[in-house]
Amino acid sequence: MDISIWFFISSGLFLGWSSGASNAVGLFGTAVSSKMIKFKVAAIIGGIFTLLGSVISGAGTTNTLTNLGGINAIAGSFTVALSVGISITWMTKAQLPVSTSQAVVGAIIGWNIFTGSPTDFASLTKILMSWVASPIVAGIFGYLIFKLIKNTVLKWKLHMLTLDNYTRIGLIIVGALASYSMGANNIANVMGMFASASPFVDIQLTENFTITGIEQLFFLGGTAIAFGIITYGHNVMKTVGNDLYKISPITGFAVVFAEFFVLTLFTSQGLERFLLEQGLPSIPLVPLSATQSFIGAVIGVGLAKDP
């Protein structure tokens, strides 16, 4: 493969790295800042499950983003990814969680205007409506989950050490689930702009097993996201306990659990097929702002804590 291809892909890898660093706060931020889980453990779990989600379940949201505006030249893909990566890194450096999805959509629309290409307003409307709905749905899930915890676990009067152990296990489980769903949902933001101009060809390993060019893109992007979580995620995680949010470990469990539910709803192709088979309206597969979902869940849990 021409070495210039790797130069163009490098901006997507840079974007993946910056996205992982930024989104780490919504996965294990509470667990790490409260010292319930060591950062190294959180980063490894988050990185592994993010990569798995990217490769296994990343196709649905990527199709939606591709429909927004086809970038059929890899130089254009490079430009869009680089502009988003610089923006995300700048905000992350300031220790501010930021929406990669919004930055990517803005960059794609800017590219469409620059090249005179049409923007698919049906896809744009679907994305914008999902951005509005996702924090609301996350708030509802957060409210219900914490109400359930409050009326069950917190009434059992468990010993503090026992409760801490259960909470630690819960934070690991929901952090892994949220990492998987975040990778599946957000890989579109990292490699979606390269999908229409993928430089990779399918690799047929056996008669019944082929690694497609898109799956190769997803693997590279997922690896970059994981690397961002591992190498720079701690800087953003510190804002959970120190600057932006004051969240206890139990509250954090409810928040991340709600975030996982919302990301899964807007990512799962299996759920989409099930709803359509039942004659029900499907939920759009859209790359969401994990940060907005996280904040929506925080507000929902906060309302549930009030008497």
Side-chain angles (χ1 to χ4, degrees):
M1 181 181 292
D2 193 331
I3 193 171
S4 64
I5 296 298
W6 289 104
F7 169 77
F8 289 125
I9 290 291
S10 66
S11 66
L13 300 179
F14 171 58
L15 172 56
W17 175 85
S18 60
S19 175
S22 174
N23 287 325
V25 65
L27 305 175
F28 285 100
T30 300
V32 171
S33 65
S34 63
K35 304 190 185 304
M36 295 291 286
I37 302 174
K38 292 182 178 179
F39 171 73
K40 288 184 179 179
V41 174
I44 291 172
I45 294 173
I48 291 173
F49 279 88
T50 295
L51 178 57
L52 290 174
S54 300
V55 175
I56 296 172
S57 303
T61 57
T62 299
N63 291 336
T64 301
L65 198 64
T66 302
N67 291 337
L68 178 64
I71 305 174
N72 54 13
I74 195 168
S77 304
F78 167 83
T79 302
V80 171
L82 182 61
S83 63
V84 176
I86 291 174
S87 301
I88 299 300
T89 302
W90 178 37
M91 298 298 288
T92 302
K93 184 69 175 176
Q95 296 188 347
L96 293 173
V98 62
S99 169
T100 305
S101 299
Q102 293 178 358
V104 168
V105 169
I108 290 176
I109 293 174
W111 175 260
N112 289 344
I113 294 172
F114 174 74
T115 59
S117 303
T119 297
D120 185 72
F121 285 98
S123 296
L124 180 59
T125 300
K126 185 189 299 184
I127 291 171
L128 293 178
M129 290 179 65
S130 298
W131 285 349
V132 174
S134 61
I136 296 174
V137 176
I140 293 172
F141 274 124
Y143 180 89
L144 295 175
I145 291 169
F146 194 79
K147 276 290 187 183
L148 179 62
I149 293 172
K150 194 161 108 172
N151 293 322
T152 54
V153 178
L154 296 184
K155 286 188 175 181
W156 294 344
K157 304 299 182 183
L158 297 173
H159 189 279
M160 184 179 295
L161 292 178
T162 302
L163 182 59
D164 279 354
N165 285 333
Y166 286 160
T167 304
R168 183 175 292 105
I169 293 171
L171 286 169
I172 291 174
I173 293 173
V174 299
L177 292 174
S179 297
Y180 183 95
S181 60
M182 190 275 287
N185 184 273
N186 273 233
I187 189 63
N189 295 327
V190 174
M191 286 296 171
M193 66 283 293
F194 291 92
S196 298
S198 174
F200 298 106
V201 297
D202 296 352
I203 301 174
Q204 186 167 354
L205 297 180
T206 67
E207 183 178 348
N208 298 317
F209 185 71
T210 300
I211 302 175
T212 67
I214 299 299
E215 288 172 338
Q216 294 170 56
L217 279 174
F218 287 172
F219 177 80
L220 291 173
T223 301
I225 296 172
F227 193 63
I229 294 173
I230 293 170
T231 60
Y232 206 77
H234 192 260
N235 290 351
V236 183
M237 287 183 186
K238 289 188 298 185
T239 65
V240 175
N242 300 329
D243 300 323
L244 294 181
Y245 316 111
K246 301 297 181 182
I247 304 175
S248 69
I250 293 178
T251 301
F253 169 84
V255 168
V256 178
F257 206 175
E259 180 187 12
F260 156 70
F261 273 125
V262 172
L263 290 174
T264 300
L265 284 177
F266 287 88
T267 304
S268 174
Q269 290 179 297
L271 176 60
E272 180 187 47
R273 284 193 298 269
F274 174 78
L275 292 174
L276 292 174
E277 288 170 359
Q278 305 306 311
L280 299 172
S282 64
I283 299 173
L285 305 183
V286 172
L288 300 177
S289 167
T291 302
Q292 288 184 353
S293 298
F294 181 83
I295 293 175
V298 169
I299 293 173
V301 170
L303 292 174
K305 291 175 68 175
D306 291 337

